[in-house]
Amino acid sequence: MAIHKIKIFTGRSSRYLAEKIVEKYGTELGNSEVLEFSDGEFQPSFNETIRGCTVFIVQSTFPPSDNLMELLMMIDAARRASAHQVIAVMPYFGWARQDRKDRPRVPITAKLVANMLTAAGADRIITIDIHADQIQGFFDVQMDTLYASWVFVSYIKSLGLDNLSIAAPDMGAAKRAALYAKKLQTPIIISHKERAKANVVGSMTAIGDVEGRNIIIVDDMIDTGGTICMAADMLMARGAKSVRAAITHPLLSGNAYERINASALSEVIVTDTIPLNPAKDLSKFTVITVADMLADVIERVHNYKEISSLYSR
């Protein structure tokens, strides 16, 4: 049993999720605020003592980059306020697609973010479905990667779909799709795409039995929606009975909402690591919360219990 008191705080972008986490945990959200200056600078502060406490800070780092900066500043403030331990709960770990040098003279930004989190004073990182598993090696502190399959699989089973198949939207998602297929005991379909340029898919084909199948495309994130929508349209054209998508992080930039609503997708299942835009047509979207999972993991981490049996792949 932990001897240090726990306190849970949140950055501004993830308050909606943090409120659900503390409700499930059975506590209250810590009192913090952000002072904004006219030139765009801001200064977060804790409005209660955290000396000797284990402090969890909930903040996804989706755009804009202010969300990452705010998290770094809150970690620094907690460390300077004599917190016993500072744990960053990052449901969505931004910049994770930049995990390597894929062409000359570019940064490895995921490593840079890892360095900044460590330099700010984070003792541990908790995240969900990080884009590239090797990013865990960028940290010299503990990093716990949870998997949204634990909330998605039960929902998929509840749909009661016959002739179910799991599909990967590209070769990079094949490993993730294979894990879902194993849990659901279904066949797997691999979509092969060729990009014309970044965020633009040139052509696509499918490997696997498509005709008459109810297909669910799985991936860790959806940005512009181009790949997912093209895959859905292609699978329906090849005789699929229905096509859904189960995507952990709904970035949904540009005209992604409109593209999804115009596509062959019958349903897009996402988590609340990133909030949906309420001004858009959300009729195709189903949101599954990760608050219960995160509250459980926070309790286990705080009380030095193992988490791998619950949230490993």
Side-chain angles (χ1 to χ4, degrees), residues 6-216:
I6 183 174
K7 291 195 176 183
I8 303 174
F9 295 88
T10 184
R12 289 172 292 180
S13 74
S14 295
R15 176 169 291 273
Y16 71 97
L17 178 57
E19 289 173 347
K20 289 186 281 187
I21 292 172
V22 296
E23 181 180 1
K24 175 65 178 179
Y25 192 91
T27 187
E28 294 183 354
L29 202 57
N31 184 6
S32 63
E33 65 178 351
V34 177
L35 176 64
E36 296 187 10
F37 299 95
S38 59
D39 65 349
E41 282 191 16
F42 55 89
Q43 182 185 60
S45 65
F46 297 98
N47 294 338
E48 58 186 88
T49 181
I50 54 175
R51 182 178 296 273
C53 296
T54 298
V55 174
F56 290 82
I57 303 172
V58 181
Q59 177 86 318
S60 284
T61 55
F62 54 86
S65 56
D66 282 0
N67 292 329
L68 172 60
M69 192 65 187
E70 184 178 330
L71 174 61
L72 294 169
M73 294 167 75
M74 291 185 75
I75 293 170
D76 182 72
R79 177 62 61 205
R80 295 177 188 278
S82 301
H84 165 67
Q85 200 174 33
V86 184
I87 300 173
V89 181
M90 304 171 66
Y92 170 71
F93 185 102
W95 314 95
R97 284 174 285 184
Q98 299 182 47
D99 62 305
R100 64 198 183 282
K101 283 189 69 173
D102 55 355
R103 52 196 174 91
R105 298 175 296 280
V106 296
I108 304 178
T109 312
K111 172 59 175 172
L112 175 62
V113 172
N115 288 345
M116 290 192 294
L117 288 165
T118 304
D123 295 292
R124 189 173 190 148
I125 311 295
I126 299 173
T127 190
I128 300 174
D129 274 357
I130 197 164
H131 185 68
D133 287 336
Q134 62 265 27
I135 290 173
Q136 298 172 72
F138 292 169
F139 286 89
D140 292 325
V141 297
Q142 177 68 34
M143 184 180 199
D144 298 305
T145 301
L146 313 178
Y147 298 97
S149 58
W150 282 92
V151 294
F152 279 152
V153 166
S154 58
Y155 176 79
I156 292 170
K157 288 180 177 178
S158 75
L159 294 174
L161 299 172
D162 60 352
N163 296 322
L164 178 65
S165 289
I166 296 296
D170 53 37
M171 299 300 290
K175 181 179 179 182
R176 187 184 314 276
L179 292 168
Y180 275 84
K182 182 179 179 180
K183 286 177 179 290
L184 293 163
Q185 297 183 327
T186 67
I188 185 172
I189 299 166
I190 306 296
S191 299
H192 175 66
K193 67 181 180 183
E194 294 183 4
R195 286 197 181 275
K197 57 182 179 179
N199 289 128
V200 178
V201 180
S203 62
M204 180 175 288
T205 187
I207 304 168
D209 185 14
V210 174
E211 188 168 354
R213 309 295 299 185
N214 287 300
I215 300 172
I216 298 181

